[in-house]
Each structure stands twice: as C-alpha cells, then as structure tokens.
Amino acid sequence: AGGPAPLLALTVGLRTLNCFLVQTSFVPDEYWQSLEVAHRMVFKYPWRNNYGYLTWEWANGLRGYSYPLIFASIYKALQLLAKDDVQLLIWVPRLAQAVLAAFADVKLYLLVRHLENAETAKCVYFCQLCSWFTWYSCTRTLTNTMETLLTIFALSYYPIKGSKMGSSCKYLALIALAIVIRPTAVIPWIPLVFSHFLQEKRKADLILHNCIPVGLVTVGTSLIIDRVFFGEWVLVQLNFLKFNVLQNLGTFYGSHPWHWYFTQGLPVILGTHLPFFIHGCVLAPKRYRIFLMAVIWTVLVY
C-alpha cells in the first residue's frame, strides 16, 4: 500500500465491487429505517398523505430523521436533476455508503500505521477487507453500518495514551453523531470516554470546552431535524431509552440468552479471524487494553 490517495482509490474500487456483488437482503431495517423513510421525506406530496410507509417506531418517536436525511438529500438531488428513476434510487445510496466504508477502511489503515508501523497496518487493512461480515454489511444502508464507520473515524482521533494524534473535540463530535443516529452507540464508548477523562489533566476544560458544546450542538441539531419532519418536538434518544431500557419493551420482539454474544454472535461475525483476535487479545500492549475492555464491556451490556 502506498500513500493515502492511491490506497483510497483502490479501496473505493473494492467497496464499489462489494456493493454490486452483495445483492441480498439482510434485515428489514436497511430499508425501513433509511431508504423508505428518505423516499417519503422527498416524494411525499400534500395530496398523497399515505405515500410511503413508516413503521411503528416512527409513530412512537423511537427513530430520528438524521440518518435518513443523508439519503433524502441524495434523492432530492436526483429529483432536481430529473434522474430519479428506480435503479438510481436503489443504487446511489448504497454506493454512497460504500464510499464512506472505503474512507473508514483507509482511516483504519492510517490509524494503525500511526500507532504501530506500515507492516502491521497492511495486515489490519487486509483483515478488514477479508472480513466476511464487513463485506456482507458495510455497503448496506443500516444505522449499524453508519455507527461502525463513525466509530472508526472517532477512534482515529481518540487520545490514546502515549500518542500525539488525539483530538478531543473531533472524536467526541463523531461519537455524538453516532449516538444521534443510533443511541446504542454510546455503549462501547463509555469505558473509552471514562478512561480519557481519568487521564486528562484539564478535566474541567474537557467538560466545558468539548463535551458540553459538542453535546448541545449535536442534540440541538437532531432536535431541529426531527422537529421539521415529525411536526413536533421529539427527543428520540430519550424515547429510545425509555422504550428499550426503562420499560424493556424491546424484548417483546425477541431476546437472546446471556451467553449468546460470546458463544454465537461474536464468533460468527469474526469468522476465520477468531483465532487471530484471541491471539491479539493475549499479546495486546498495555496501552491498547482499554479497547479490549471496551469490546468485553459492549458484549456484556448487550
């Protein structure tokens, strides 16, 4: 792998191929929480109030319009260009997701190269491209996919101990955006942000100059977007917390035994990478153990 530009071009090409090769459906949410909503946002007409269908989560204010707005912008551009035919409406959003995935792949490579060396970065990049589950899901228009991409971007700015690459404002902003898109994105970041807070010498500055401004801007923007499309003030993240945590109504749609993520979920997603993951956990330097803790914490919470 050479510089970032050639590597990015290669990766965009691979993820574009990835996009066209994956022609199956995974879960309903890749349409009902993104494309169908975006289509309704753009093509709903005043005299056709029933044009486009929204699932029950939208009626209960459990989903926000921030993520569908990305695809609604694409649809609006296609509409203005008179190019809103079926095939473009299907493929352009997925291609956009593929390009974002390619940027995340390269960002991951650059992160590892900065922290370790070029050889290690090449191995990580190769593993990322060879991950069957990443290949299967990274070009899909899922909030989970966008959360994953934003997490990679945020990690590239996370102030790892002993590294000079961190940017509190940038990584916190990316976390906040991920949480706006998918509230459960907060889970893996709890130990990471807490660790950052403990090692930060200027704790008051971190809270006053980074956490609070970032939180206010992202939540405020999310509120305004949802106000426009819901027609009323809705705090989606609070509704999500009430429904899934306080009232635990999400279990109505099914739940797994406590060991599922350890015995089935994580091993299946890792696939052939599982032995290398375990090997890496054993050999991980002390300064990277916080990431292992974040993985374990996330699996336990889920």
Side-chain angles (χ1 to χ4, degrees), residues 27 29 67 141-149 181-182 184:
V27 289
D29 280 1
Y67 183 56
T141 50
L142 282 162
T143 54
N144 311 59
T145 302
M146 185 58 76
E147 176 196 352
T148 302
L149 304 184
I181 289 174
R182 191 165 184 261
T184 50

Side-chain angles (χ1 to χ4, degrees), residues 30-42:
E30 62 186 294
Y31 310 108
W32 296 113
Q33 307 302 344
S34 54
L35 300 185
E36 182 72 16
V37 182
H39 191 274
R40 180 184 173 90
M41 291 163 72
V42 175

Side-chain angles (χ1 to χ4, degrees), residues 6-26:
L7 183 63
L8 180 60
L10 170 66
T11 313
V12 168
L14 289 171
R15 287 305 181 200
T16 301
L17 176 65
N18 183 171
C19 178
F20 285 115
L21 288 178
V22 176
Q23 299 186 25
T24 55
S25 176
F26 180 23

Side-chain angles (χ1 to χ4, degrees), residues 34-284:
S34 54
L35 300 185
E36 182 72 16
V37 182
H39 191 274
R40 180 184 173 90
M41 291 163 72
V42 175
F43 299 106
K44 177 185 175 183
Y45 301 104
W47 59 90
R48 295 182 66 180
N49 289 326
N50 62 341
Y51 191 72
Y53 182 76
L54 297 181
T55 56
W56 63 270
E57 296 108 318
W58 297 91
N60 290 276
L62 298 176
R63 302 286 183 176
Y65 281 93
S66 298
Y67 183 56
L69 184 60
I70 298 171
F71 304 113
S73 302
I74 294 173
Y75 283 167
K76 191 64 181 178
L78 291 173
Q79 183 190 46
L80 293 173
L81 294 170
K83 297 293 184 181
D84 51 334
D85 61 78
V86 173
Q87 290 303 314
L88 288 178
L89 292 177
I90 292 172
W91 287 106
V92 173
R94 287 200 58 193
L95 285 169
Q97 195 74 61
V99 171
L100 288 173
F103 273 91
D105 293 337
V106 174
K107 201 70 174 175
L108 181 62
Y109 167 82
L110 295 174
L111 169 63
V112 178
R113 190 177 71 175
H114 177 85
L115 293 175
E116 293 295 324
N117 52 62
E119 288 303 313
T120 304
K122 289 176 185 178
C123 290
V124 171
Y125 176 78
F126 179 75
C127 288
Q128 175 76 350
L129 292 182
C130 291
S131 168
W132 80 268
F133 191 75
T134 301
W135 184 273
Y136 183 68
S137 60
C138 75
T139 63
R140 298 183 185 276
T141 50
L142 282 162
T143 54
N144 311 59
T145 302
M146 185 58 76
E147 176 196 352
T148 302
L149 304 184
L150 290 171
T151 297
I152 293 174
F153 290 132
L155 283 173
S156 67
Y157 296 110
Y158 181 75
I160 300 171
K161 194 171 183 179
S163 172
K164 298 179 180 179
M165 56 174 286
S167 171
S168 298
C169 185
K170 289 180 181 178
Y171 100 84
L172 288 170
L174 288 163
I175 294 171
L177 182 56
I179 294 169
V180 163
I181 289 174
R182 191 165 184 261
T184 50
V186 71
I187 295 172
W189 282 102
I190 289 175
L192 293 171
V193 173
F194 184 67
S195 174
H196 175 206
F197 180 77
L198 290 180
Q199 72 183 35
E200 179 62 49
K201 295 179 180 178
R202 297 181 296 178
K203 292 178 172 56
D205 286 348
L206 177 64
I207 295 172
L208 295 175
H209 298 159
N210 291 289
C211 295
I212 293 177
V214 165
L216 289 175
V217 170
T218 50
V219 173
T221 303
S222 173
L223 272 171
I224 293 170
I225 292 171
D226 290 333
R227 173 67 179 84
V228 170
F229 292 102
F230 276 115
E232 59 182 336
W233 292 107
V234 177
L235 186 55
V236 170
Q237 292 73 30
L238 180 60
N239 292 342
F240 188 92
L241 177 68
K242 287 180 180 178
F243 185 89
N244 288 290
V245 179
L246 301 181
Q247 299 173 344
N248 199 30
L249 294 176
T251 55
F252 176 77
Y253 297 93
S255 60
H256 295 300
W258 66 269
H259 58 79
W260 187 87
Y261 283 98
F262 286 106
T263 59
Q264 298 174 60
L266 197 59
V268 169
I269 288 175
L270 287 171
T272 54
H273 290 114
L274 181 59
F276 302 105
F277 171 76
I278 296 172
H279 183 65
C281 291
V282 174
L283 296 181

